[in-house]
Amino acid sequence: MSGGKAGMSEIASGTNGGDTGASGARRKLALGMATVFLLVLALITIGNAESMISDFAAAGVRETLAHIWIWQVTSILAWLCVCVLIWWGVARIRPPRFQWPMVAILFVIGLPIASACHIGLMIAFRSLAYAAEGARYQFQGGIASPYLYEFRKDVPTYLQFVTLAALCQWLLARVGTQAPQPDLERGRYLAVGDGAVTHQVPIDEIVQVAAAGNYVEIEIGGRTLLHRATLATMESELGGRFVRIHRSRLVNRDAIRRIETNQSGDFEVLLSDGTVAKGSRRYRADLEQRL
């Protein structure tokens, strides 16, 4: 075995809900929002290109239609790349992990970073497009003044994307949230307070729980719920179905698909949702006994 791995064990796979229930509803909502988002971006791109063509014609500026479309499409492509970072940032900065004043400060700090990424990617994409036709792209003859011009345009776009990401994550967190049915056995659901919402989470669907300061991150159905509790408290509430693999992480024994140990004795656990959790050799023996 390559890569310095000392051993591997496979755990028989089980079933995990498929596309039904809350997870399926969240996938459908996410797909619908992504489709609408891309459609709106396409319409904006077409509108901006047509407006620029008309403005250039009225001002007597000579420019090829191909270059105008390259400018608009590359700007949108760059923003799509930056949106991945914006989505990641919103998911990790939103309350209750940080208070609102700190959230505002962090997103203000993120503004020039997002703008710089957008401009850098945009220039790279345009340079490639121009090179494909045997030309060389010049960013308006210099980087300082054009950057300030682009930065002013990036401010409202950045704020719109941050707001949209926060709204989409808020909606996704609430889809499929329901109280346990009266005829279900008590103790199979865990009340998880995530911000202003309390989720009734089926314990057997929780994949892993990780410490995050004064909170824990609960991974379930492809999403992360932030819950104010200690890992020790969660270990007690969840019971023997969950095993500690690290001082800051619990995993559901039924979600373990593979355990791979390296030469130091530390190990990695492949879980049913495809994620890999790192474990400490301190907890290796206990894990083996409880599987």
Side-chain angles (χ1 to χ4, degrees):
M1 184 177 298
S2 62
K5 299 295 183 181
M8 178 187 296
S9 59
E10 298 284 348
I11 310 297
S13 298
T15 59
N16 192 10
D19 291 330
T20 61
S23 296
R26 282 190 294 275
R27 287 191 197 90
K28 292 178 180 178
L29 177 61
L31 179 60
M33 290 190 297
T35 301
V36 172
F37 176 67
L38 293 176
L39 178 60
V40 171
L41 285 184
L43 293 175
I44 291 174
T45 302
I46 294 172
N48 288 344
E50 293 296 333
S51 297
M52 183 172 289
I53 292 171
S54 298
D55 292 342
F56 278 13
V61 177
R62 300 186 63 180
E63 186 56 75
T64 65
L65 294 178
H67 284 174
I68 293 175
W69 279 101
I70 286 173
W71 300 341
Q72 297 301 323
V73 171
T74 52
S75 179
I76 291 297
L77 287 177
W79 269 121
L80 284 175
C81 295
V82 176
C83 277
V84 176
L85 297 177
I86 292 176
W87 182 275
W88 180 87
V90 170
R92 283 155 180 78
I93 294 174
R94 65 180 177 87
R97 178 171 296 183
F98 294 96
Q99 298 300 316
W100 281 111
M102 180 57 67
V103 170
I105 292 173
L106 291 173
F107 279 117
V108 169
I109 294 173
L111 171 57
I113 297 174
S115 180
C117 290
H118 169 248
I119 295 172
L121 289 169
M122 182 179 67
I123 293 174
F125 292 152
R126 291 179 182 179
S127 297
L128 290 174
Y130 273 56
E133 61 179 22
R136 183 178 180 182
Y137 176 71
Q138 294 290 336
F139 187 50
Q140 310 231 342
I143 196 64
S145 178
Y147 177 81
L148 294 177
Y149 171 75
E150 290 293 336
F151 179 78
R152 288 195 297 268
K153 294 197 304 180
D154 286 349
V155 171
T157 305
Y158 171 80
L159 295 177
Q160 290 170 13
F161 283 149
V162 167
T163 302
L164 184 61
L167 176 61
C168 289
Q169 291 180 20
W170 183 85
L171 290 173
L172 288 171
R174 282 147 183 81
V175 170
T177 302
Q178 58 183 13
Q181 300 299 319
D183 57 343
L184 292 178
E185 178 184 347
R186 290 179 61 86
R188 292 183 58 191
Y189 285 76
L190 178 71
V192 176
D194 185 30
V197 177
T198 298
H199 303 270
Q200 295 292 338
V201 176
I203 290 178
D204 58 357
E205 294 183 12
I206 298 175
V207 177
Q208 61 176 314
V209 182
N214 294 326
Y215 295 83
V216 292
E217 293 178 336
I218 300 175
E219 301 288 341
I220 177 171
R223 61 174 175 163
T224 302
L225 299 178
L226 198 61
H227 180 50
R228 189 174 182 85
T230 65
L231 196 66
T233 299
M234 293 299 300
E235 187 174 18
S236 176
E237 291 184 8
L238 294 174
R241 176 176 295 180
F242 287 77
V243 58
R244 189 183 289 257
I245 65 169
H246 191 273
R247 63 184 179 84
S248 61
R249 189 175 304 274
L250 303 170
V251 299
N252 189 333
R253 290 185 301 163
D254 295 336
I256 296 176
R257 297 292 175 264
R258 187 178 71 210
I259 302 172
E260 191 166 356
T261 307
N262 59 32
Q263 294 176 348
S264 69
D266 294 336
F267 57 95
E268 294 180 345
V269 177
L270 175 65
L271 300 172
S272 58
D273 62 353
T275 60
V276 176
K278 294 186 180 296
S280 170
R281 61 181 179 271
R282 173 183 175 186
Y283 300 95
R284 183 73 171 88
D286 182 56
L287 175 62
E288 290 178 339
Q289 292 176 0
R290 297 180 62 181
L291 289 179

